[in-house]
């Protein structure tokens, strides 16, 4: 396990950046062109609820760095369960980890996912680099397409494995951009597609959290039998509002997160 959170997030960013060229470009637009300091609000990780890769196993990497469990979230239609984790030092990003409830899926999907997960060595899950280690299994393109029919989430995992599914710019830390629509306008002006599922702005001041995201980049991935261009990862933007005690809300809104998951949908 990493002893230093900054190193872990740097490595996660490096692995994410390699398959999300738009994130690096947007980072540069905000930083170099707009002169904004970019603070990461949170990252998200995906997994399956099977040993040895359950949500708890991924969370251990953060708990060992002093993170604590925050809220839990249920996504019944997508058959997902999630929790978020935060660090007592508010300078460190929050972490949102979800897992597919495999037993709720079809027997066909269950058997494919079990076959993939059986290829993961338990010691690999505890290794320093696990959270940005990519795929630990072999799978062909047809398997990906079959999974996609039932669960975009499972198909994404089969193709990409372990890496940050997104990083998130904290709008609260930007000087020139004070709202989600302003950020969306900047993205669109530079030719990026904003996730419009449920509206381009997810959440509201009443929810204490507003979010938006790009649609995932499409990049080539090497399957066992062929290389195909498919959706990879996306960049998210979050604006948090103060709670009655004056502290910024640090949780997530399930209805909004549900729509954010769709940033990796292939059909969009």
């Amino acid at each position: 396990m990493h002893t230093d959170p900054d190193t872990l997030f740097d490595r996660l960013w490096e692995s994410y950046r390699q398959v999300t060229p738009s994130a690096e470009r947007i980072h540069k637009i905000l930083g170099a062109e707009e002169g904004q300091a970019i603070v990461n609000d949170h990252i998200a990780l995906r997994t399956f609820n099977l040993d040895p890769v359950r949500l708890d196993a991924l969370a251990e990497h953060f708990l060992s760095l002093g993170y604590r469990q925050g809220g839990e979230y249920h996504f019944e239609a997508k058959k997902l369960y999630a929790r978020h984790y935060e660090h007592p030092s508010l300078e460190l990003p929050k972490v949102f980890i979800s897992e597919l409830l495999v037993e709720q899926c079809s027997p066909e999907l269950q058997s494919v996912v079990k076959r993939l997960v059986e290829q993961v060595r338990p010691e690999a899950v505890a290794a320093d680099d696990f959270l940005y280690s990519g795929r630990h299994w072999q799978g062909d393109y047809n398997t990906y397409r079959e999974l996609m029919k039932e669960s975009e989430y499972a198909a994404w995992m089969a193709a990409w494995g372990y890496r940050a599914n997104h990083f998130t710019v904290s709008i609260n830390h930007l000087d020139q951009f004070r709202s989600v629509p302003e950020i969306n306008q900047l993205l669109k002006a530079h030719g990026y597609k904003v996730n419009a599922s449920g509206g381009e702005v997810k959440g509201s001041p009443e929810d204490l959290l507003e979010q938006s995201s790009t649609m995932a980049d499409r990049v080539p991935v090497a399957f066992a039998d062929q290389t195909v261009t498919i959706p990879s990862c996306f960049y998210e933007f979050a604006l948090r509002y103060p709670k009655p005690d004056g502290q910024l809300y640090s949780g997530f809104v399930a209805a909004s997160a549900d729509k954010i998951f769709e940033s990796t949908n292939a059909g969009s």
Side-chain angles (χ1 to χ4, degrees):
M1 301 277 175
H2 282 280
T3 52
D4 166 28
D6 290 335
T7 304
L8 173 56
F9 284 104
D10 286 348
R11 301 272 162 77
L12 281 159
W13 170 262
E14 191 53 36
S15 118
Y16 162 79
R17 181 183 72 77
Q18 287 170 4
V19 299
T20 322
S22 67
E24 187 165 32
R25 288 197 296 270
I26 293 165
H27 201 270
K28 283 181 176 153
I29 290 165
L30 282 169
E33 295 180 26
E34 303 288 345
Q36 302 297 288
I38 299 166
V39 172
N40 179 25
D41 179 85
H42 70 272
I43 65 159
L45 297 157
R46 295 179 174 187
T47 193
F48 300 113
N49 70 335
L50 299 174
D51 291 326
V53 299
R54 291 175 186 276
L55 187 161
D56 287 340
L58 274 62
E60 196 51 50
H61 287 264
F62 297 98
L63 295 172
S64 69
L65 295 170
Y67 273 76
R68 297 170 188 161
Q69 186 183 323
E72 56 177 1
Y73 311 90
H74 299 270
F75 304 92
E76 284 167 21
K78 291 183 172 67
K79 302 179 171 68
L80 303 175
Y81 168 75
R83 287 194 211 122
H84 92 266
Y85 295 83
E86 46 190 283
H87 198 276
S89 157
L90 300 176
E91 301 304 303
L92 287 170
K94 288 164 279 296
V95 177
F96 185 92
I97 308 177
S98 56
E99 62 184 2
L100 181 67
L101 305 173
V102 179
E103 73 283 356
Q104 293 184 13
C105 301
S106 70
E108 293 76 17
L109 183 143
Q110 290 185 47
S111 102
V112 170
V113 169
K114 283 175 181 162
R115 196 170 71 240
L116 298 179
V117 171
E118 278 164 4
Q119 298 172 60
V120 184
R121 299 188 336 274
E123 60 272 21
V125 181
D128 272 4
D129 68 350
F130 180 68
L131 298 178
Y132 46 87
S133 60
R135 248 183 7 220
H136 288 249
W137 42 71
Q138 284 295 318
D140 59 22
Y141 179 54
N142 197 48
T143 301
Y144 169 81
R145 285 202 312 189
E146 286 303 309
L147 288 172
M148 182 65 80
K149 289 176 188 170
E150 182 174 347
S151 168
E152 182 279 329
Y153 184 105
W156 188 94
M157 276 301 302
W160 296 108
Y162 292 91
R163 62 183 70 242
N165 167 262
H166 61 269
F167 272 66
T168 310
V169 173
S170 166
I171 298 175
N172 297 82
H173 288 83
L174 301 177
D175 298 327
Q176 284 170 246
F177 302 91
R178 303 305 308 154
S179 73
V180 177
E182 284 179 83
I183 281 287
N184 290 348
Q185 203 45 54
L186 177 77
L187 295 171
K188 290 192 280 194
H190 282 84
Y192 294 104
K193 188 169 181 187
V194 173
N195 173 349
S197 178
E200 289 185 352
V201 179
K202 330 286 184 223
S204 66
E206 292 70 40
D207 294 323
L208 303 182
L209 175 64
E210 289 181 322
Q211 296 160 275
S212 75
S213 63
T214 61
M215 290 305 292
D217 283 343
R218 299 178 71 86
V219 298
V221 65
F223 291 97
D225 54 340
Q226 58 183 300
T227 296
V228 186
T229 297
I230 62 167
S232 59
C233 306
F234 59 93
Y235 214 3
E236 191 185 316
F237 305 85
L239 179 65
R240 295 181 179 277
Y241 289 86
K243 298 178 295 188
D245 65 5
Q247 295 288 312
L248 285 181
Y249 176 66
S250 63
F252 293 85
V253 177
S256 302
D258 186 71
K259 299 302 183 189
I260 293 280
F261 277 118
E262 294 171 20
S263 301
T264 50
N265 280 7
S268 301

